[in-house]
Amino acid sequence: MADALLIFKPDSAYRIAAREGIWGWLSSERDWRIESLEWFQPSAQLIEDHYDFLQGRPFFPWLVDFMTALPVVVGRITADPQALGLMRYDLGETQIAKSRPGSLRERYGIYGGLNCLHLSDAPETGAAEVKRWSDFVQLDQVKARLDDSSDKPDHTYHLRSLATQVANGIHVDSASEMMRELIAEETDLEGKKLEALWRITLGALS
C-alpha cells in the first residue's frame, strides 16, 4: 500500500457545498482508506518546501499566501498504486480549464490554481510528502469531521465565469464584486477570515 498526502485547499475547505461534494467522494473509500484528517494552518516555510519545484514562478508568492492564510484540511490516504492513479483520474487535471468533464476539479474548481485539492501524484511523492508534513501535523488519526449535507449554495459555475472575466480584464470591478458576494454566500466565514478567503481567491486571477 502507498501513502498519499491530501489537502483540501482553501477554495474547497471553506466553500461548503464544494467541500461536501468532494468529501462525499473521498469518504466512500472505494479503493482507498482515510488514515488521518485534521484542520491545520501550515507555515510559509512548509509550503515553500512542499512546492519547491515551483519556486521562481511568477505565481509562487500568491501560492504561499493561498496555502497559509487560513487553516486547511490535511490528511493521509493509503491505497495501492493503481487505486491512487484512479483517484487522480477522478480528481482531474491540475488546471481547471483542462480538467476532464465530470472530474472533481471540473465540477468544483474555479480557475487556474483554485483547483480544490492536493493529492500526491505517485507513491514516491506521497512517501516524501507524508514524511515532511508528519513533522508538523498528526497523520495517523481522523480528527476533523466534515459534514455531508448543508443548505449552502454551490456557485461554482457562476464563479468560474466571473473569474474568467476578471482574469481577462473584462468588467473587472463588477465581476469582482459579484464574486465576493457569491463566495460570502457559500461559506460560514466572517470578518477577517472571510476577507482572507476573498484576498487569496482574487490573487489567483491577477
Side-chain angles (χ1 to χ4, degrees), residues 21 23 32 40 52 73 76 79 87 89 99-100 102 109 115 123 125 129 134 153 157 164 178-180 186 193 195 206:
W23 176 241
W32 56 85
F40 171 70
D52 61 350
V73 181
R76 178 172 65 91
M87 289 184 76
Y89 179 78
S99 289
R100 176 182 56 82
N115 59 14
T125 309
E129 291 178 347
S134 64
Y157 295 139
T164 300
M178 186 166 290
M179 284 189 70
R180 180 192 290 265
E186 287 189 321
K193 290 184 177 180
E195 286 302 311
S206 60

Side-chain angles (χ1 to χ4, degrees), residues 49-112:
D49 292 343
H50 179 80
Y51 289 111
D52 61 350
F53 61 98
L54 295 174
Q55 291 207 32
R57 301 288 291 273
F59 58 81
F60 191 73
W62 164 80
L63 178 60
V64 174
D65 185 32
F66 178 60
M67 294 298 293
T68 60
L70 293 162
V72 292
V73 181
V74 180
R76 178 172 65 91
I77 304 295
T78 54
D80 66 44
Q82 182 178 6
L84 182 58
L86 291 174
M87 289 184 76
R88 298 240 0 136
Y89 179 78
D90 287 349
L91 179 57
E93 289 76 6
T94 300
Q95 294 186 13
I96 298 305
K98 298 179 180 179
S99 289
R100 176 182 56 82
S103 66
L104 291 165
R105 283 175 169 155
E106 186 275 332
R107 176 64 184 86
Y108 297 110
I110 296 175
Y111 184 91

Side-chain angles (χ1 to χ4, degrees), residues 8-16 19 39 71-73 116 146:
F8 280 73
K9 298 179 180 182
D11 56 313
S12 64
Y14 295 103
R15 296 175 53 236
I16 294 174
R19 187 178 74 200
W39 286 95
V72 292
V73 181
C116 303
L146 303 183

Side-chain angles (χ1 to χ4, degrees), residues 3-14 19 22-23 26 33-43 46-47 50-51 66-78 116-120 126 128-146:
D3 277 338
L5 186 75
L6 175 88
I7 306 173
F8 280 73
K9 298 179 180 182
D11 56 313
S12 64
Y14 295 103
R19 187 178 74 200
I22 294 167
W23 176 241
L26 182 65
R33 179 179 172 83
I34 302 169
E35 304 290 355
S36 72
L37 205 67
E38 182 172 351
W39 286 95
F40 171 70
Q41 188 160 6
S43 67
L46 177 56
I47 294 301
H50 179 80
Y51 289 111
F66 178 60
M67 294 298 293
T68 60
L70 293 162
V72 292
V73 181
V74 180
R76 178 172 65 91
I77 304 295
T78 54
C116 303
L117 289 181
H118 168 81
L119 179 65
S120 303
E129 291 178 347
V130 166
K131 183 177 185 297
R132 177 184 296 120
W133 283 72
S134 64
D135 289 337
F136 303 93
V137 61
Q138 190 172 350
L139 293 176
D140 60 0
Q141 185 176 353
V142 176
K143 293 183 178 180
R145 302 295 175 185
L146 303 183

Side-chain angles (χ1 to χ4, degrees), residues 189-205:
L189 294 181
E190 298 177 342
K192 291 182 178 180
K193 290 184 177 180
L194 179 58
E195 286 302 311
L197 179 61
W198 169 241
R199 185 191 76 243
I200 58 180
T201 300
L202 188 63
L205 311 179

